[in-house]
Every structure is written in C-alpha cells, then in structure tokens.
Amino acid sequence: MKKLLFSVIALMAFFACSKQEKPFNYRGLAFSLPVAQFVDSLTARGFAVDSAASDSGRTIALTSATEPYHILVAFAGNKLQVVQENYEVSSNDSTRMLWQQLRDGLEKELDAWPDCPILKEDHRIANFDTSTGFISIILENTYTPTLAVRYEPKKAK
C-alpha cells in the first residue's frame, strides 16, 4: 500500500514539475528571441524599420502601411525589454472605442479581468497581469488622442 501511495505521489510530482509555462510573447513572437530575429520576424510581417525614429543602441521603431499602429521595441544588449504599439487615430471618440475593443479582446484572449486604476472619460488604463508578463492599454485624450498597448515580460527571479 505504501509503494502504491508513493508511486502516485511521485507521478503527481512528475506532472507538476513537467508542466511548462508558455513564454511571454508579442503577437506570437516570444520575448526570448534575440532582438535581430524578433525585428526580422516583424519585417517579414510587413513592417519596416524607421531608422529616423530608432536609437540604434536602445530602441527600434517599425511602421507598416497596412496597420493602424507603429511599434517601438526597447532592448538591452540582445534582450527585449518592452514592446509598445502606438495607434494613429484621429478623434477622441475613435480612441475610446478602440481602447474598449482592445481591452475586450485581451480580456477574452487571456481569460482575465484587467486592473483598471484609471477609468475616466479621457484617460483610461487597463493592466493585464499574465503569469509571464504585463500588458497595459493606455488611453490619453488630451489635445492629441494617444493610444498605446505595452507588452513587458516579468523579471526573472
């Protein structure tokens, strides 16, 4: 009986330890990729490096004619730190609507309810805490409407 109990406990421990967490990713691209490979993957998706807006030592800006946002990739050495989408929208109403659509989409995709520390008419933030990183949707409608989605992996302990 003890051997059977020990076997069951060992089997449960094996399955618990073998469960692998999915790495934090940005639209299917893992944050564990080297910066050059990450940028090459985005280039293959139709984005182009905007060298005038990039800082060769810390950030890379990417734009696309078909997407309503541009991407800013921050890195240290060869390791990704943050990826941020900055949306180009024309009115406060369209940014509010897009903020809500992005929030609802992430809520459904992550099956998680966001923390919303600010929910005013013209300033909204929704923070999603995944097991491996953070995703924030930030709306700031002042004189020029701005909407950003920020992906940041959790620091390894």
Side-chain angles (χ1 to χ4, degrees):
M1 186 67 167
K2 286 183 183 180
K3 289 181 181 181
L4 180 62
L5 183 61
F6 180 72
S7 298
V8 170
I9 291 172
L11 189 60
M12 288 173 46
F14 172 75
F15 284 118
C17 292
S18 66
K19 182 183 174 190
Q20 297 214 354
E21 249 178 32
K22 288 175 54 176
F24 190 61
N25 70 68
Y26 168 74
R27 297 186 181 256
L29 297 174
F31 263 73
S32 58
L33 290 173
V35 174
Q37 187 177 359
F38 188 86
V39 171
D40 288 346
S41 297
L42 287 172
T43 304
R45 292 180 180 188
F47 285 89
V49 174
D50 182 356
S51 57
S54 299
D55 173 1
S56 62
R58 296 186 188 142
T59 60
I60 297 174
L62 298 122
T63 60
S64 172
T66 60
E67 296 294 340
Y69 57 88
H70 59 274
I71 301 172
L72 187 64
V73 178
F75 58 94
N78 201 22
K79 186 173 178 166
L80 290 169
Q81 301 293 312
V82 176
V83 174
Q84 181 169 311
E85 297 174 346
N86 295 306
Y87 285 79
E88 309 270 337
V89 284
S90 59
S91 72
N92 289 345
D93 289 338
S94 59
T95 56
R96 287 185 204 111
M97 187 174 62
L98 185 55
W99 183 89
Q100 190 65 47
Q101 289 172 348
L102 291 168
R103 179 193 177 277
D104 293 346
L106 281 171
E107 188 178 314
K108 185 179 271 187
E109 179 184 332
L110 300 171
D111 195 28
W113 193 261
D115 173 34
C116 296
I118 299 175
L119 270 178
K120 297 179 182 177
E121 181 70 11
D122 288 331
H123 189 187
R124 300 176 185 180
I125 298 175
N127 296 318
F128 290 90
D129 184 355
T130 71
S131 60
T132 54
F134 303 101
I135 303 172
S136 299
I137 307 170
I138 305 159
L139 168 71
E140 292 180 309
N141 281 340
T142 52
Y143 298 108
T144 304
T146 61
L147 179 63
V149 181
R150 184 179 175 105
Y151 296 78
E152 185 172 3
K154 288 184 178 177
K155 307 293 185 225
K157 293 181 183 180

